[in-house]
Amino acid sequence: MDKISVIIPVYNIASYLQRCLDSVISQTYKNLEIIVVNDGSLDNSLEILEEYAIRDERVVVLNKENGGVTSCRREGLANAQGKYIFFLDGDDWLESESLERLYLLGKEQDADIIVGNAYYSTDNENIEMFSTNFDVLSSKEFIHSLAIGKQPWCLWMKLIKKSICHKMVIPDGLSMAEDMLGVLQLSFYARVIAKSSYYGYHYYQRQGAATKTPTKKHAMDALLAAKYVSDFFKTKNVYSDYFDDIAIINLRCLLTCCNQGGVDREESLVKQIYSDFYRTKYLKFLIWQHRLILAGFKRGINFYRILFFIRRLHIGF
C-alpha cells in the first residue's frame, strides 16, 4: 500500500483541530504521513499539534511564519514523502473510509487524480455539495467540466499523485482563487481523473472565515487569477485549443470580482475580459442572475454591492 501524505494548513483554529486530526488518525487507510503546517498561529494551535505528534508518530509538525494557505501547502508538499497527496483544511474533517476509498479507486483506474464528494457542514447539518458524478475523464474533459460548473474548484477532496503536484505553481499573495489555479494546473498535467461517488469530506461552514468578507484586494485578485489562467494556457501553447473554457473561467472570475465588491469599471483587466470573452455562447453556461450581474457591471452597476447594502440595512448595520 502506497503512502499518502495528508497536508493540513493551520492558522488560529485551535477549536477545530481535534475534530480534524482525529478524523485523519482514525482513517481505515493506515499508511499515512500527516503533515500539519502551523502558519504562525497566535492561539494554542501549535501546542495541540505537538501533543498529537507525541501521540501518533505519523503526525509531522512544521512551524513557519505566517504566509497564508498557499505557502503552507507548498511547505507541506516540499516535505512530503508519500506517493499521493491529500489536501485537508484544518477546520474540515473526513469520514473514516475517505482515503481508502479514493486510493483503491485510483489504483483500479490508474488515475492521477481521484475526486471525492463533499458536504457543506455546520454544527447541525450536512448538505451535499453539487458535483456531477463520472467514472473517468481525460484532462481536457475534466477542465471543461470545471469551467461549466459541474465540478467545484477546490484542492481539497482530491487524492493526487505527488508527481504532478510538484508541477503546480500558485503565485504568492493571492487572496482569492488559489484553489482554482491549482486545480486547473493539476487537471492539465493529469492523464486520467477518476470520480468516487462517496461523500467523505466535510467542508465546515464557520462564521468569520476570510473568504466570507468582501475586500478590494479579493476583487482585484479574482481578476489577476483570470489573467493567470489565460497566461498558463499561452505558455503551454494550447491557448486556442482551450479558448472556450478559458472564456467561461474568465467570466466566472469577473463574477467573483463583482461578488467581492468590484473594482473600477475602467480597470484594464475588466475591459479585457469584456472585450475578449463576453459572448452569448459563453454566457449561456451561467445562470440568469449571473448574466444580469455581468450585464449590469458592464454598464457600471454592481448588483452585488447593492445587495450587500440592502442586507446591511436589513440586519441593522
Side-chain angles (χ1 to χ4, degrees):
M1 302 288 275
D2 299 301
K3 180 173 287 186
I4 296 174
S5 296
V6 181
I7 298 176
I8 309 172
V10 171
Y11 179 69
N12 290 349
I13 51 172
S15 300
Y16 311 103
L17 276 177
Q18 182 176 348
R19 179 178 62 190
C20 175
L21 292 173
D22 285 348
S23 78
V24 181
I25 289 171
S26 62
Q27 288 293 299
T28 56
Y29 193 92
K30 298 301 182 184
N31 191 12
L32 302 178
E33 175 186 50
I34 306 166
I35 303 175
V36 283
V37 185
N38 180 52
D39 194 31
S41 295
L42 302 177
D43 62 4
N44 64 326
S45 291
L46 180 58
E47 179 182 337
I48 294 171
L49 298 180
E50 290 174 339
E51 290 175 359
Y52 271 85
I54 293 172
R55 289 164 46 188
D56 193 316
E57 63 181 8
R58 298 175 299 172
V59 177
V60 178
V61 179
L62 303 178
N63 194 35
K64 60 183 282 297
E65 294 183 358
N66 182 256
V69 65
T70 296
S71 67
C72 287
R73 288 167 173 167
R74 186 183 298 124
E75 183 78 8
L77 188 57
N79 287 273
Q81 301 298 312
K83 182 176 180 179
Y84 292 88
I85 303 295
F86 187 87
F87 295 108
L88 171 64
D89 287 352
D91 51 356
D92 298 340
W93 71 98
L94 304 175
E95 293 291 321
S96 62
E97 297 180 13
S98 297
L99 295 178
E100 182 175 12
R101 285 176 177 254
L102 294 177
Y103 175 79
L104 293 176
L105 178 61
K107 298 298 287 186
E108 176 186 332
Q109 300 289 359
D110 190 24
D112 296 314
I113 300 174
I114 308 94
V115 183
N117 279 320
Y119 295 107
Y120 289 113
S121 295
T122 68
D123 294 325
N124 302 312
E125 63 178 346
N126 298 311
I127 301 172
E128 293 181 358
M129 180 185 294
F130 172 77
S131 179
T132 302
N133 285 324
F134 59 86
D135 292 326
V136 293
L137 291 177
S138 68
S139 169
K140 200 170 192 306
E141 289 171 331
F142 188 68
I143 289 174
H144 180 65
S145 185
L146 287 164
I148 64 176
K150 290 188 175 182
Q151 302 297 325
W153 292 93
C154 50
L155 278 171
W156 42 262
M157 197 175 71
K158 296 172 176 65
L159 188 64
I160 311 159
K161 283 187 178 177
K162 186 174 69 175
S163 57
I164 63 171
C165 280
H166 282 304
K167 299 178 181 180
M168 177 177 61
V169 179
I170 301 176
D172 287 316
L174 280 182
S175 60
M176 293 292 292
E178 309 101 306
D179 276 24
M180 183 195 75
L181 294 176
V183 170
L184 182 71
Q185 293 175 56
L186 293 172
S187 303
F188 180 82
Y189 292 122
R191 298 173 300 104
V192 175
I193 297 95
K195 178 70 184 289
S196 168
S197 60
Y198 182 66
Y199 280 81
Y201 194 104
H202 292 268
Y203 176 35
Y204 187 51
Q205 307 298 290
R206 63 185 174 96
Q207 295 295 319
T211 54
K212 295 184 183 297
T213 306
T215 69
K216 187 69 172 288
K217 175 171 171 51
H218 288 167
M220 192 63 203
D221 282 357
L223 295 177
L224 289 174
K227 184 178 185 300
Y228 285 130
V229 168
S230 298
D231 289 347
F232 174 78
F233 286 107
K234 287 177 181 177
T235 61
K236 300 302 178 183
N237 297 315
V238 291
Y239 184 77
S240 59
D241 295 337
Y242 286 85
F243 185 85
D244 290 352
D245 293 326
I246 294 168
I248 300 167
I249 294 168
N250 268 257
L251 291 174
R252 291 189 184 280
C253 287
L254 183 55
L255 273 170
T256 300
C257 172
C258 294
N259 185 30
Q260 294 300 317
V263 298
D264 190 322
R265 172 63 187 81
E266 296 303 309
E267 163 63 45
S268 60
L269 293 176
V270 173
K271 295 173 72 173
Q272 184 173 353
I273 290 175
Y274 276 117
S275 173
D276 294 349
F277 308 120
Y278 191 73
R279 306 285 188 275
T280 300
K281 66 179 294 187
Y282 307 128
L283 291 168
K284 71 180 182 181
F285 290 104
L286 308 178
I287 61 176
W288 70 266
Q289 294 95 329
H290 288 168
R291 295 197 297 270
L292 178 63
I293 288 165
L294 290 179
F297 192 56
K298 191 173 190 291
R299 294 162 176 79
I301 305 170
N302 191 336
F303 288 110
Y304 270 127
R305 186 173 293 172
I306 295 172
L307 180 60
F308 291 146
F309 179 72
I310 293 173
R311 284 176 177 171
R312 286 180 178 179
L313 288 178
H314 180 69
I315 62 179
F317 280 132

